[in-house]
PDB file of all heavy atoms in Angstrom:
ATOM      1  N   SER A 192     -13.119 -24.726  -8.373  1.00 60.00           N
ATOM      2  CA  SER A 192     -12.328 -25.385  -9.395  1.00 60.00           C
ATOM      3  C   SER A 192     -10.840 -25.243  -9.111  1.00 60.00           C
ATOM      4  O   SER A 192     -10.384 -24.218  -8.641  1.00 60.00           O
ATOM      5  CB  SER A 192     -12.656 -24.775 -10.764  1.00 60.00           C
ATOM      6  OG  SER A 192     -11.773 -25.261 -11.751  1.00 60.00           O
ATOM      7  N   ASP A 193     -10.074 -26.316  -9.416  1.00 72.00           N
ATOM      8  CA  ASP A 193      -8.621 -26.214  -9.297  1.00 72.00           C
ATOM      9  C   ASP A 193      -7.970 -26.236 -10.676  1.00 72.00           C
ATOM     10  O   ASP A 193      -6.762 -26.399 -10.797  1.00 72.00           O
ATOM     11  CB  ASP A 193      -8.069 -27.338  -8.424  1.00 72.00           C
ATOM     12  CG  ASP A 193      -8.314 -28.714  -9.022  1.00 72.00           C
ATOM     13  OD1 ASP A 193      -9.040 -28.809 -10.029  1.00 72.00           O
ATOM     14  OD2 ASP A 193      -7.761 -29.689  -8.487  1.00 72.00           O
ATOM     15  N   ASN A 194      -8.779 -26.057 -11.721  1.00 82.00           N
ATOM     16  CA  ASN A 194      -8.279 -26.097 -13.091  1.00 82.00           C
ATOM     17  C   ASN A 194      -8.046 -24.677 -13.604  1.00 82.00           C
ATOM     18  O   ASN A 194      -8.715 -24.211 -14.526  1.00 82.00           O
ATOM     19  CB  ASN A 194      -9.268 -26.858 -13.987  1.00 82.00           C
ATOM     20  CG  ASN A 194      -8.775 -26.960 -15.421  1.00 82.00           C
ATOM     21  OD1 ASN A 194      -7.578 -26.927 -15.686  1.00 82.00           O
ATOM     22  ND2 ASN A 194      -9.706 -27.057 -16.345  1.00 82.00           N
ATOM     23  N   GLU A 195      -7.102 -23.970 -12.995  1.00 84.00           N
ATOM     24  CA  GLU A 195      -6.852 -22.586 -13.376  1.00 84.00           C
ATOM     25  C   GLU A 195      -6.297 -22.475 -14.789  1.00 84.00           C
ATOM     26  O   GLU A 195      -6.630 -21.549 -15.529  1.00 84.00           O
ATOM     27  CB  GLU A 195      -5.889 -21.929 -12.383  1.00 84.00           C
ATOM     28  CG  GLU A 195      -6.431 -21.823 -10.971  1.00 84.00           C
ATOM     29  CD  GLU A 195      -7.658 -20.936 -10.881  1.00 84.00           C
ATOM     30  OE1 GLU A 195      -7.720 -19.953 -11.642  1.00 84.00           O
ATOM     31  OE2 GLU A 195      -8.541 -21.227 -10.074  1.00 84.00           O
ATOM     32  N   LEU A 196      -5.446 -23.398 -15.186  1.00 87.00           N
ATOM     33  CA  LEU A 196      -4.882 -23.373 -16.532  1.00 87.00           C
ATOM     34  C   LEU A 196      -5.980 -23.514 -17.582  1.00 87.00           C
ATOM     35  O   LEU A 196      -6.061 -22.730 -18.531  1.00 87.00           O
ATOM     36  CB  LEU A 196      -3.848 -24.497 -16.687  1.00 87.00           C
ATOM     37  CG  LEU A 196      -3.279 -24.706 -18.095  1.00 87.00           C
ATOM     38  CD1 LEU A 196      -2.516 -23.470 -18.549  1.00 87.00           C
ATOM     39  CD2 LEU A 196      -2.380 -25.942 -18.121  1.00 87.00           C
ATOM     40  N   GLY A 197      -6.833 -24.510 -17.397  1.00 89.00           N
ATOM     41  CA  GLY A 197      -7.916 -24.720 -18.359  1.00 89.00           C
ATOM     42  C   GLY A 197      -8.885 -23.564 -18.404  1.00 89.00           C
ATOM     43  O   GLY A 197      -9.357 -23.175 -19.482  1.00 89.00           O
ATOM     44  N   MET A 198      -9.198 -22.990 -17.228  1.00 88.00           N
ATOM     45  CA  MET A 198     -10.124 -21.865 -17.204  1.00 88.00           C
ATOM     46  C   MET A 198      -9.548 -20.663 -17.944  1.00 88.00           C
ATOM     47  O   MET A 198     -10.247 -19.977 -18.692  1.00 88.00           O
ATOM     48  CB  MET A 198     -10.454 -21.485 -15.762  1.00 88.00           C
ATOM     49  CG  MET A 198     -11.488 -20.367 -15.653  1.00 88.00           C
ATOM     50  SD  MET A 198     -11.957 -19.979 -13.944  1.00 88.00           S
ATOM     51  CE  MET A 198     -10.475 -19.143 -13.387  1.00 88.00           C
ATOM     52  N   PHE A 199      -8.256 -20.413 -17.730  1.00 89.00           N
ATOM     53  CA  PHE A 199      -7.622 -19.282 -18.410  1.00 89.00           C
ATOM     54  C   PHE A 199      -7.653 -19.470 -19.921  1.00 89.00           C
ATOM     55  O   PHE A 199      -7.984 -18.538 -20.676  1.00 89.00           O
ATOM     56  CB  PHE A 199      -6.183 -19.111 -17.927  1.00 89.00           C
ATOM     57  CG  PHE A 199      -5.440 -18.008 -18.617  1.00 89.00           C
ATOM     58  CD1 PHE A 199      -5.732 -16.683 -18.347  1.00 89.00           C
ATOM     59  CD2 PHE A 199      -4.464 -18.303 -19.557  1.00 89.00           C
ATOM     60  CE1 PHE A 199      -5.060 -15.658 -18.998  1.00 89.00           C
ATOM     61  CE2 PHE A 199      -3.779 -17.288 -20.209  1.00 89.00           C
ATOM     62  CZ  PHE A 199      -4.081 -15.963 -19.925  1.00 89.00           C
ATOM     63  N   LEU A 200      -7.327 -20.661 -20.402  1.00 92.00           N
ATOM     64  CA  LEU A 200      -7.350 -20.921 -21.842  1.00 92.00           C
ATOM     65  C   LEU A 200      -8.754 -20.763 -22.413  1.00 92.00           C
ATOM     66  O   LEU A 200      -8.947 -20.172 -23.484  1.00 92.00           O
ATOM     67  CB  LEU A 200      -6.824 -22.330 -22.122  1.00 92.00           C
ATOM     68  CG  LEU A 200      -5.327 -22.561 -21.866  1.00 92.00           C
ATOM     69  CD1 LEU A 200      -4.998 -24.046 -22.008  1.00 92.00           C
ATOM     70  CD2 LEU A 200      -4.484 -21.730 -22.822  1.00 92.00           C
ATOM     71  N   ARG A 201      -9.751 -21.267 -21.685  1.00 91.00           N
ATOM     72  CA  ARG A 201     -11.127 -21.166 -22.185  1.00 91.00           C
ATOM     73  C   ARG A 201     -11.604 -19.715 -22.230  1.00 91.00           C
ATOM     74  O   ARG A 201     -12.182 -19.270 -23.231  1.00 91.00           O
ATOM     75  CB  ARG A 201     -12.067 -21.992 -21.305  1.00 91.00           C
ATOM     76  CG  ARG A 201     -13.553 -21.837 -21.669  1.00 91.00           C
ATOM     77  CD  ARG A 201     -14.443 -22.641 -20.749  1.00 91.00           C
ATOM     78  NE  ARG A 201     -14.250 -22.308 -19.353  1.00 91.00           N
ATOM     79  CZ  ARG A 201     -14.756 -21.202 -18.769  1.00 91.00           C
ATOM     80  NH1 ARG A 201     -15.454 -20.330 -19.477  1.00 91.00           N
ATOM     81  NH2 ARG A 201     -14.557 -20.987 -17.478  1.00 91.00           N
ATOM     82  N   ILE A 202     -11.371 -18.973 -21.135  1.00 89.00           N
ATOM     83  CA  ILE A 202     -11.829 -17.586 -21.090  1.00 89.00           C
ATOM     84  C   ILE A 202     -11.140 -16.752 -22.166  1.00 89.00           C
ATOM     85  O   ILE A 202     -11.769 -15.933 -22.836  1.00 89.00           O
ATOM     86  CB  ILE A 202     -11.584 -16.982 -19.693  1.00 89.00           C
ATOM     87  CG1 ILE A 202     -12.535 -17.624 -18.674  1.00 89.00           C
ATOM     88  CG2 ILE A 202     -11.770 -15.465 -19.699  1.00 89.00           C
ATOM     89  CD1 ILE A 202     -12.311 -17.175 -17.252  1.00 89.00           C
ATOM     90  N   LEU A 244      -7.140 -29.970 -22.330  1.00 92.00           N
ATOM     91  CA  LEU A 244      -6.500 -28.888 -21.588  1.00 92.00           C
ATOM     92  C   LEU A 244      -7.540 -28.029 -20.873  1.00 92.00           C
ATOM     93  O   LEU A 244      -7.395 -27.699 -19.690  1.00 92.00           O
ATOM     94  CB  LEU A 244      -5.666 -28.015 -22.525  1.00 92.00           C
ATOM     95  CG  LEU A 244      -4.341 -28.594 -23.015  1.00 92.00           C
ATOM     96  CD1 LEU A 244      -3.702 -27.651 -24.035  1.00 92.00           C
ATOM     97  CD2 LEU A 244      -3.381 -28.816 -21.845  1.00 92.00           C
ATOM     98  N   GLU A 245      -8.591 -27.641 -21.575  1.00 91.00           N
ATOM     99  CA  GLU A 245      -9.605 -26.772 -20.992  1.00 91.00           C
ATOM    100  C   GLU A 245     -10.363 -27.465 -19.862  1.00 91.00           C
ATOM    101  O   GLU A 245     -10.767 -26.819 -18.892  1.00 91.00           O
ATOM    102  CB  GLU A 245     -10.585 -26.295 -22.069  1.00 91.00           C
ATOM    103  CG  GLU A 245      -9.981 -25.291 -23.040  1.00 91.00           C
ATOM    104  CD  GLU A 245     -11.030 -24.643 -23.923  1.00 91.00           C
ATOM    105  OE1 GLU A 245     -12.236 -24.952 -23.759  1.00 91.00           O
ATOM    106  OE2 GLU A 245     -10.657 -23.812 -24.772  1.00 91.00           O
ATOM    107  N   GLN A 246     -10.555 -28.758 -19.982  1.00 91.00           N
ATOM    108  CA  GLN A 246     -11.306 -29.491 -18.959  1.00 91.00           C
ATOM    109  C   GLN A 246     -10.418 -30.014 -17.831  1.00 91.00           C
ATOM    110  O   GLN A 246     -10.917 -30.599 -16.877  1.00 91.00           O
ATOM    111  CB  GLN A 246     -12.063 -30.649 -19.610  1.00 91.00           C
ATOM    112  CG  GLN A 246     -13.161 -30.177 -20.568  1.00 91.00           C
ATOM    113  CD  GLN A 246     -13.908 -31.321 -21.218  1.00 91.00           C
ATOM    114  OE1 GLN A 246     -13.483 -32.493 -21.150  1.00 91.00           O
ATOM    115  NE2 GLN A 246     -15.012 -31.003 -21.872  1.00 91.00           N
ATOM    116  N   GLY A 247      -9.119 -29.783 -17.921  1.00 87.00           N
ATOM    117  CA  GLY A 247      -8.212 -30.177 -16.852  1.00 87.00           C
ATOM    118  C   GLY A 247      -7.783 -31.624 -16.888  1.00 87.00           C
ATOM    119  O   GLY A 247      -7.181 -32.121 -15.924  1.00 87.00           O
ATOM    120  N   ASP A 249      -5.602 -32.818 -19.038  1.00 85.00           N
ATOM    121  CA  ASP A 249      -4.169 -32.796 -19.331  1.00 85.00           C
ATOM    122  C   ASP A 249      -3.625 -31.473 -18.792  1.00 85.00           C
ATOM    123  O   ASP A 249      -4.034 -30.404 -19.232  1.00 85.00           O
ATOM    124  CB  ASP A 249      -3.919 -32.897 -20.843  1.00 85.00           C
ATOM    125  CG  ASP A 249      -2.437 -33.119 -21.161  1.00 85.00           C
ATOM    126  OD1 ASP A 249      -1.592 -32.525 -20.457  1.00 85.00           O
ATOM    127  OD2 ASP A 249      -2.134 -33.868 -22.094  1.00 85.00           O
ATOM    128  N   ARG A 250      -2.723 -31.533 -17.830  1.00 79.00           N
ATOM    129  CA  ARG A 250      -2.223 -30.326 -17.178  1.00 79.00           C
ATOM    130  C   ARG A 250      -0.719 -30.154 -17.347  1.00 79.00           C
ATOM    131  O   ARG A 250      -0.106 -29.367 -16.628  1.00 79.00           O
ATOM    132  CB  ARG A 250      -2.584 -30.348 -15.693  1.00 79.00           C
ATOM    133  CG  ARG A 250      -4.078 -30.521 -15.469  1.00 79.00           C
ATOM    134  CD  ARG A 250      -4.470 -30.308 -14.041  1.00 79.00           C
ATOM    135  NE  ARG A 250      -5.880 -30.573 -13.831  1.00 79.00           N
ATOM    136  CZ  ARG A 250      -6.559 -30.242 -12.746  1.00 79.00           C
ATOM    137  NH1 ARG A 250      -5.942 -29.631 -11.756  1.00 79.00           N
ATOM    138  NH2 ARG A 250      -7.841 -30.525 -12.614  1.00 79.00           N
ATOM    139  N   ARG A 251      -0.153 -30.899 -18.278  1.00 81.00           N
ATOM    140  CA  ARG A 251       1.288 -30.804 -18.466  1.00 81.00           C
ATOM    141  C   ARG A 251       1.646 -30.569 -19.929  1.00 81.00           C
ATOM    142  O   ARG A 251       2.390 -31.354 -20.529  1.00 81.00           O
ATOM    143  CB  ARG A 251       1.983 -32.058 -17.951  1.00 81.00           C
ATOM    144  CG  ARG A 251       1.820 -32.272 -16.451  1.00 81.00           C
ATOM    145  CD  ARG A 251       2.627 -33.459 -15.976  1.00 81.00           C
ATOM    146  NE  ARG A 251       2.499 -33.647 -14.535  1.00 81.00           N
ATOM    147  CZ  ARG A 251       3.123 -34.594 -13.857  1.00 81.00           C
ATOM    148  NH1 ARG A 251       3.922 -35.437 -14.485  1.00 81.00           N
ATOM    149  NH2 ARG A 251       2.956 -34.706 -12.552  1.00 81.00           N
ATOM    150  N   PRO A 252       1.145 -29.507 -20.527  1.00 85.00           N
ATOM    151  CA  PRO A 252       1.514 -29.218 -21.914  1.00 85.00           C
ATOM    152  C   PRO A 252       2.990 -28.839 -21.992  1.00 85.00           C
ATOM    153  O   PRO A 252       3.551 -28.251 -21.065  1.00 85.00           O
ATOM    154  CB  PRO A 252       0.615 -28.040 -22.284  1.00 85.00           C
ATOM    155  CG  PRO A 252       0.323 -27.377 -20.978  1.00 85.00           C
ATOM    156  CD  PRO A 252       0.243 -28.487 -19.977  1.00 85.00           C
ATOM    157  N   LEU A 257       2.558 -24.669 -25.322  1.00 85.00           N
ATOM    158  CA  LEU A 257       2.157 -23.414 -24.688  1.00 85.00           C
ATOM    159  C   LEU A 257       2.465 -22.228 -25.595  1.00 85.00           C
ATOM    160  O   LEU A 257       1.686 -21.278 -25.690  1.00 85.00           O
ATOM    161  CB  LEU A 257       2.875 -23.242 -23.347  1.00 85.00           C
ATOM    162  CG  LEU A 257       2.429 -24.155 -22.205  1.00 85.00           C
ATOM    163  CD1 LEU A 257       3.292 -23.909 -20.981  1.00 85.00           C
ATOM    164  CD2 LEU A 257       0.955 -23.932 -21.878  1.00 85.00           C
ATOM    165  N   LEU A 260      -0.071 -22.174 -28.460  1.00 90.00           N
ATOM    166  CA  LEU A 260      -1.374 -21.730 -27.955  1.00 90.00           C
ATOM    167  C   LEU A 260      -1.363 -20.236 -27.675  1.00 90.00           C
ATOM    168  O   LEU A 260      -2.344 -19.533 -27.959  1.00 90.00           O
ATOM    169  CB  LEU A 260      -1.725 -22.502 -26.673  1.00 90.00           C
ATOM    170  CG  LEU A 260      -2.169 -23.952 -26.837  1.00 90.00           C
ATOM    171  CD1 LEU A 260      -2.251 -24.637 -25.480  1.00 90.00           C
ATOM    172  CD2 LEU A 260      -3.526 -24.024 -27.547  1.00 90.00           C
ATOM    173  N   HIS A 273       1.946 -15.372 -17.377  1.00 79.00           N
ATOM    174  CA  HIS A 273       0.909 -15.948 -16.516  1.00 79.00           C
ATOM    175  C   HIS A 273       0.583 -17.378 -16.949  1.00 79.00           C
ATOM    176  O   HIS A 273       0.434 -18.275 -16.099  1.00 79.00           O
ATOM    177  CB  HIS A 273      -0.332 -15.074 -16.588  1.00 79.00           C
ATOM    178  CG  HIS A 273      -1.450 -15.523 -15.703  1.00 79.00           C
ATOM    179  ND1 HIS A 273      -1.325 -15.629 -14.339  1.00 79.00           N
ATOM    180  CD2 HIS A 273      -2.724 -15.923 -15.991  1.00 79.00           C
ATOM    181  CE1 HIS A 273      -2.464 -16.062 -13.820  1.00 79.00           C
ATOM    182  NE2 HIS A 273      -3.314 -16.244 -14.803  1.00 79.00           N
ATOM    183  N   LEU A 274       0.491 -17.618 -18.254  1.00 83.00           N
ATOM    184  CA  LEU A 274       0.218 -18.963 -18.760  1.00 83.00           C
ATOM    185  C   LEU A 274       1.318 -19.929 -18.331  1.00 83.00           C
ATOM    186  O   LEU A 274       1.048 -21.062 -17.900  1.00 83.00           O
ATOM    187  CB  LEU A 274       0.111 -18.925 -20.291  1.00 83.00           C
ATOM    188  CG  LEU A 274      -0.141 -20.265 -20.991  1.00 83.00           C
ATOM    189  CD1 LEU A 274      -1.509 -20.821 -20.599  1.00 83.00           C
ATOM    190  CD2 LEU A 274      -0.044 -20.094 -22.498  1.00 83.00           C
ATOM    191  N   HIS A 275       2.549 -19.498 -18.426  1.00 76.00           N
ATOM    192  CA  HIS A 275       3.671 -20.338 -18.013  1.00 76.00           C
ATOM    193  C   HIS A 275       3.582 -20.666 -16.531  1.00 76.00           C
ATOM    194  O   HIS A 275       3.781 -21.814 -16.115  1.00 76.00           O
ATOM    195  CB  HIS A 275       4.981 -19.614 -18.317  1.00 76.00           C
ATOM    196  CG  HIS A 275       6.196 -20.323 -17.799  1.00 76.00           C
ATOM    197  ND1 HIS A 275       6.666 -21.501 -18.336  1.00 76.00           N
ATOM    198  CD2 HIS A 275       7.038 -20.031 -16.773  1.00 76.00           C
ATOM    199  CE1 HIS A 275       7.735 -21.899 -17.681  1.00 76.00           C
ATOM    200  NE2 HIS A 275       7.985 -21.025 -16.719  1.00 76.00           N
ATOM    201  N   ARG A 276       3.272 -19.677 -15.709  1.00 74.00           N
ATOM    202  CA  ARG A 276       3.171 -19.896 -14.265  1.00 74.00           C
ATOM    203  C   ARG A 276       2.045 -20.868 -13.937  1.00 74.00           C
ATOM    204  O   ARG A 276       2.184 -21.731 -13.060  1.00 74.00           O
ATOM    205  CB  ARG A 276       2.942 -18.566 -13.548  1.00 74.00           C
ATOM    206  CG  ARG A 276       4.164 -17.668 -13.508  1.00 74.00           C
ATOM    207  CD  ARG A 276       3.842 -16.345 -12.868  1.00 74.00           C
ATOM    208  NE  ARG A 276       5.043 -15.542 -12.672  1.00 74.00           N
ATOM    209  CZ  ARG A 276       5.035 -14.304 -12.213  1.00 74.00           C
ATOM    210  NH1 ARG A 276       3.886 -13.714 -11.901  1.00 74.00           N
ATOM    211  NH2 ARG A 276       6.166 -13.646 -12.057  1.00 74.00           N
ATOM    212  N   LEU A 277       0.922 -20.734 -14.633  1.00 80.00           N
ATOM    213  CA  LEU A 277      -0.197 -21.639 -14.385  1.00 80.00           C
ATOM    214  C   LEU A 277       0.175 -23.071 -14.738  1.00 80.00           C
ATOM    215  O   LEU A 277      -0.159 -24.014 -14.011  1.00 80.00           O
ATOM    216  CB  LEU A 277      -1.422 -21.201 -15.191  1.00 80.00           C
ATOM    217  CG  LEU A 277      -2.116 -19.918 -14.739  1.00 80.00           C
ATOM    218  CD1 LEU A 277      -3.295 -19.611 -15.661  1.00 80.00           C
ATOM    219  CD2 LEU A 277      -2.593 -20.025 -13.301  1.00 80.00           C
ATOM    220  N   ALA A 278       0.856 -23.247 -15.866  1.00 79.00           N
ATOM    221  CA  ALA A 278       1.234 -24.588 -16.289  1.00 79.00           C
ATOM    222  C   ALA A 278       2.216 -25.205 -15.296  1.00 79.00           C
ATOM    223  O   ALA A 278       2.084 -26.376 -14.919  1.00 79.00           O
ATOM    224  CB  ALA A 278       1.850 -24.547 -17.685  1.00 79.00           C
ATOM    225  N   LYS A 279       3.178 -24.427 -14.834  1.00 70.00           N
ATOM    226  CA  LYS A 279       4.147 -24.943 -13.870  1.00 70.00           C
ATOM    227  C   LYS A 279       3.482 -25.196 -12.512  1.00 70.00           C
ATOM    228  O   LYS A 279       3.812 -26.150 -11.817  1.00 70.00           O
ATOM    229  CB  LYS A 279       5.306 -23.954 -13.716  1.00 70.00           C
ATOM    230  CG  LYS A 279       6.212 -23.892 -14.934  1.00 70.00           C
ATOM    231  CD  LYS A 279       6.848 -25.243 -15.205  1.00 70.00           C
ATOM    232  CE  LYS A 279       7.802 -25.187 -16.369  1.00 70.00           C
ATOM    233  NZ  LYS A 279       8.401 -26.510 -16.671  1.00 70.00           N
ATOM    234  N   ALA A 281       0.422 -26.092 -12.056  1.00 59.00           N
ATOM    235  CA  ALA A 281      -0.415 -27.277 -12.173  1.00 59.00           C
ATOM    236  C   ALA A 281       0.394 -28.553 -11.952  1.00 59.00           C
ATOM    237  O   ALA A 281      -0.103 -29.536 -11.414  1.00 59.00           O
ATOM    238  CB  ALA A 281      -1.093 -27.315 -13.540  1.00 59.00           C
TER     239      ALA A 281
END
Side-chain angles (χ1 to χ4, degrees):
S192 172
D193 63 352
N194 181 26
E195 296 297 326
L196 173 63
M198 184 177 73
F199 178 72
L200 291 172
R201 174 182 56 77
I202 290 176
L244 286 175
E245 289 191 2
Q246 294 180 348
D249 190 322
R250 304 190 184 193
R251 297 185 179 181
L257 288 177
L260 285 170
H273 183 60
L274 179 65
H275 174 71
R276 288 176 173 175
L277 289 179
K279 289 299 183 182

